[in-house]
């Protein structure tokens, strides 16, 4: 067999570990060839690919980013996108594709397979950890670690200056990074897209800390958190999947906290630092397990499936199930954070 691989959407630590696992198992166990498509769905659309071998994937396990590069190209935005992909597969002799991505990339993969019969296996990836069907995606653990380190650093300077420090982290639709880094870093307020932000409650929680003798506070906010009129976007432009570029909610909240409480407040936006650099050991292992399961699925021609983490085990689930709905933070998931604030929500 000849298997193609692509990485689409926002990059994340662990992508190279998946690619390496696919190539190693494919080469050492199955004798299948692997080619890598460049720049997400642009590669299959334009037939832009290169051979992936043991030699060309050596040493990439600990490297962040993706040697295949990535993009937010959407084949369904082109009238002849599906035909172009079919033609590339034919010309390159590709028997099936492993698409590594999040909701958008796998949404395309699901449609290409379900509606057009193109043989595809998906692999779940996103630092946001919001993909359905799996309990966890790789990249999330690394992002949480980076955000936790940032909170630890903010703590010491917040304390020295008696300041409120707001940290804006990624999380377009789901607040998993904010929730987990906030709990791990001991944040005083955690704001996520799943719950509308109640600034009265936020300010009261901070005032209550002052009354208890703590004159600094850390507020972690996911970029997709909603104040009153939808998430804060930078500019009006959207990508090919219709997503706006988010950012600015931390700054707005910081200014409001300072105005309402009178406490000096500063905001830090962590941004792409969360997505870059070397994956944690956990992410390397999860990515490798997904990669091995994906090439096993391709070898068995289990097209239209995706390896998922369930109860600690890797299982194949239907791609359709994985993209049917996002996995967001429930009230039960948030309960731990609520329990630490010491101020009942109205
Ligand atoms: O991949 C998910 C994500 O990191 C989101 O958390 C964030 O909103 C988005 O990507 C940022 O995308 P870009 O790198 O295109 O600015």
């Amino acid at each position: 067999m000849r298997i193609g691989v692509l990485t689409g959407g926002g990059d994340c630590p662990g992508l190279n570990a998946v690619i390496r696992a696919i190539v190693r198992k494919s080469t050492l166990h199955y004798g299948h060839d692997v080619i890598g498509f460049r720049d997400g769905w642009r590669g299959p659309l334009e037939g832009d690919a290169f051979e992936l071998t043991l030699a060309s994937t050596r040493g990439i396990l600990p490297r962040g980013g993706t040697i295949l590069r990535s993009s937010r190209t959407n084949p369904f935005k082109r009238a002849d996108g599906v035909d172009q992909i079919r033609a590339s597969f034919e010309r390159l002799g590709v028997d099936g594709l492993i698409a590594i991505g999040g909701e958008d990339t796998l949404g395309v993969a699901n449609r290409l397979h379900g509606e057009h019969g193109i043989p595809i296996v998906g692999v779940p990836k996103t630092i946001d950890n919001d993909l359905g069907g799996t309990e966890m995606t790789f990249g999330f653990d690394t992002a949480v670690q980076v955000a936790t380190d940032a909170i630890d650093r903010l703590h010491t300077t917040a304390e020295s200056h008696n300041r409120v420090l707001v940290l804006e982290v990624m999380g377009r639709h789901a607040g998993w990074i904010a929730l987990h880094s906030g709990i791990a870093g001991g944040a005083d307020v955690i704001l996520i897209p799943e719950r509308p932000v109640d600034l009265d409650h936020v300010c009261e929680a901070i005032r209550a800390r002052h009354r208890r003798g703590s004159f600094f506070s850390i507020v972690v906010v996911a970029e997709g958190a909603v104040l009153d009129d939808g998430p804060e976007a930078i500019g009006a432009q959207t990508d090919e999947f219709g997503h706006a570029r988010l950012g600015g909610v931390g700054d707005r909240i910081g200014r409001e906290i300072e105005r309402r409480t009178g406490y000096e407040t500063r905001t830090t936006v962590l941004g792409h630092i969360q997505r870059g650099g070397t994956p944690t050991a956990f992410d390397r292992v999860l990515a490798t397990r997904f990669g091995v399961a994906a090439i096993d699925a391709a070898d068995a021609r289990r097209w239209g499936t995706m390896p998922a983490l369930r109860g600690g085990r890797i299982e194949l689930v239907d791609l359709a199930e994985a993209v049917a709905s996002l996995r967001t933070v429930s009230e039960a998931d948030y309960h731990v954070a609520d329990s630490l604030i010491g101020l009942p929500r109205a």
Side-chain angles (χ1 to χ4, degrees):
M1 283 172 94
R2 195 165 164 80
I3 305 294
V5 183
L6 69 77
T7 53
D11 72 342
C12 100
L15 285 167
N16 284 325
V18 182
I19 297 165
R20 170 182 174 271
I22 291 169
V23 172
R24 287 186 76 84
K25 178 120 198 212
S26 185
T27 309
L28 300 173
H29 292 260
Y30 294 124
H32 300 324
D33 292 335
V34 184
I35 63 168
F37 285 105
R38 292 189 179 88
D39 305 328
W41 290 110
R42 188 193 70 75
L45 282 170
E46 298 177 14
D48 186 3
F50 60 104
E51 298 289 330
L52 289 173
T53 62
L54 290 179
S56 68
T57 53
R58 188 163 295 136
I60 66 171
L61 173 63
R63 263 172 60 191
T66 160
I67 61 166
L68 302 179
R69 301 197 304 262
S70 193
S71 75
R72 296 191 190 274
T73 305
N74 183 352
F76 290 104
K77 285 280 170 190
R78 286 140 186 88
D80 56 352
V82 178
D83 293 337
Q84 276 182 267
I85 291 173
R86 260 195 234 287
S88 299
F89 279 18
E90 209 151 294
R91 188 166 58 75
L92 295 165
V94 170
D95 298 296
L97 177 73
I98 298 175
I100 312 169
E103 52 160 334
D104 298 329
T105 305
L106 297 186
V108 168
N110 181 48
R111 282 188 66 187
L112 287 173
H113 174 262
E115 297 170 19
H116 303 279
I118 295 183
I120 307 183
V121 168
V123 174
K125 159 270 24 164
T126 163
I127 62 163
D128 288 2
N129 201 33
D130 59 358
L131 206 73
T134 183
E135 286 161 9
M136 210 169 173
T137 52
F138 65 88
F140 171 64
D141 186 66
T142 307
V144 168
Q145 191 56 56
V146 171
T148 303
D149 290 345
I151 296 170
D152 288 347
R153 287 174 187 279
L154 291 175
H155 250 120
T156 60
T157 176
E159 196 167 8
S160 306
H161 288 270
N162 291 337
R163 280 175 175 159
V164 178
L165 291 184
V166 178
L167 176 68
E168 181 181 308
V169 298
M170 282 188 172
R172 184 184 287 283
H173 307 291
W176 292 110
I177 297 175
L179 180 66
H180 281 229
S181 65
I183 292 172
D188 305 297
V189 178
I190 300 171
L191 303 170
I192 59 174
E194 291 85 341
R195 304 176 131 207
V197 174
D198 178 346
L199 278 171
D200 291 336
H201 185 256
V202 170
C203 291
E204 195 37 42
I206 294 170
R207 285 193 202 97
R209 278 176 55 74
H210 275 239
R211 288 196 293 274
R212 294 197 300 270
S214 295
F215 302 114
F216 71 96
S217 293
I218 303 289
V219 177
V220 180
V221 55
E223 62 180 354
V226 179
L227 271 177
D228 37 25
D229 45 3
E232 299 296 309
I234 301 170
Q237 253 193 331
T238 55
D239 66 18
E240 290 197 6
F241 291 90
H243 301 306
R245 196 174 140 203
L246 298 184
V249 70
D251 192 47
R252 254 190 89 188
I253 288 172
R255 277 186 283 119
E256 240 349 81
I257 291 172
E258 186 166 277
R259 192 181 68 77
R260 293 182 185 206
T261 64
Y263 304 144
E264 195 182 10
T265 304
R266 299 276 198 277
T267 297
T268 301
V269 180
L270 199 51
H272 291 82
I273 290 170
Q274 288 155 102
R275 273 203 350 223
T278 189
T280 58
F282 180 90
D283 276 339
R284 295 181 204 188
V285 174
L286 183 60
T288 300
R289 293 172 79 194
F290 280 157
V292 166
I295 188 67
D296 288 345
D299 175 71
R301 298 179 190 274
R302 299 279 308 274
W303 311 121
T305 63
M306 177 193 91
L309 188 71
R310 290 193 169 179
R313 307 179 73 85
I314 304 291
E315 292 175 10
L316 279 188
V317 300
D318 283 345
L319 256 181
E321 180 192 335
V323 300
S325 61
L326 286 174
R327 207 176 64 82
T328 51
V329 176
S330 68
E331 285 296 310
D333 297 320
Y334 195 82
H335 171 72
V336 171
D338 251 348
S339 312
L340 302 172
I341 288 179
L343 191 70
R345 205 177 158 84

